[in-house]
Amino acid sequence: MPNILLTRIDNRLIHGQVATQWTNHIGANLLLVANDKVAKDKMRQGLMDMAAPNGVATRYFSIQKTIDVIGKAADRQKIFLICETPQDVLRLVEGGVPIDKVNIGNMHMAEGKRVVVGVVAVDDDDVETFKKLRDKGIELEIRKVPSENKENIDKLFNN
């Protein structure tokens, strides 16, 4: 079974907060971005590699490749799994990736979305997806950085 320390939803994927605070906090040595677009975008990968801490490996896989290969991860790989959307996380879970906790860090405001707290904006599809994840027994938390308190997760469902 892969050693997934944390799964995070952050539409920025790898950036300063992820690279420094979260990676150090959880003790990850591998940042795995599961995202269909980024898996094909070498320039964006290069930019994210620059943000990754020294000594921490990065991988950029499509959702399907993540499903197909994550079971082959070595125990020594302490994986920080980063996704752009809750829908990507649900696809991974439905594909058999053993995710038990999801940190919701940043979901940008866009047309049709509403802010539930700070930098987390959702639409109806996001809310339904979070309900499906919760119903599968996955712990959800809203927290931008490890030093902050968790937000009340009910805020996702009460808007």
Side-chain angles (χ1 to χ4, degrees):
M1 179 133 92
N3 188 6
I4 300 171
L5 302 177
L6 182 65
T7 301
R8 178 175 169 94
I9 297 170
D10 191 322
N11 56 295
R12 300 165 299 173
L13 302 170
I14 297 175
H15 59 91
Q17 285 173 345
V18 167
T20 56
Q21 295 181 47
W22 280 106
T23 302
N24 291 337
H25 179 73
I26 64 174
N29 61 16
L30 173 62
L31 303 178
L32 171 53
V33 173
N35 182 275
D36 292 340
K37 288 181 190 164
V38 172
K40 300 175 194 167
D41 187 341
K42 295 292 182 199
M43 188 169 97
R44 195 161 170 207
Q45 291 175 23
L47 291 171
M48 286 189 273
D49 282 346
M50 287 191 277
N54 289 335
V56 177
T58 56
R59 299 287 182 276
Y60 304 96
F61 294 161
S62 68
I63 299 296
Q64 189 58 53
K65 182 172 181 178
T66 303
I67 291 166
D68 293 344
V69 303
I70 200 158
K72 299 172 186 163
D75 290 342
R76 70 181 179 280
Q77 291 177 304
K78 297 174 183 167
I79 303 169
F80 184 6
L81 182 58
I82 307 160
C83 296
E84 188 172 29
T85 67
Q87 292 79 8
D88 285 349
V89 174
L90 183 61
R91 284 177 58 202
L92 292 171
V93 169
E94 290 175 341
V97 177
I99 294 170
D100 53 15
K101 180 178 182 176
V102 176
N103 165 263
I104 304 157
N106 199 46
M107 294 175 63
H108 280 313
M109 185 64 178
E111 190 172 333
K113 294 197 177 221
R114 59 201 175 273
V115 174
V116 290
V117 63
V119 293
V120 177
V122 298
D123 59 21
D124 292 341
D125 184 42
D126 295 331
V127 172
E128 286 307 309
T129 302
F130 282 126
K131 285 179 182 174
K132 289 176 184 173
L133 290 167
R134 181 187 62 189
D135 292 348
K136 291 180 179 294
I138 295 168
E139 178 187 345
L140 302 172
E141 73 166 24
I142 301 172
R143 190 162 47 141
K144 198 164 52 173
V145 293
S147 59
E148 290 183 351
N149 290 326
K150 297 175 189 177
E151 295 285 343
N152 184 338
I153 200 68
D154 292 337
K155 290 179 181 180
L156 279 178
F157 307 109
N158 294 336
N159 278 326

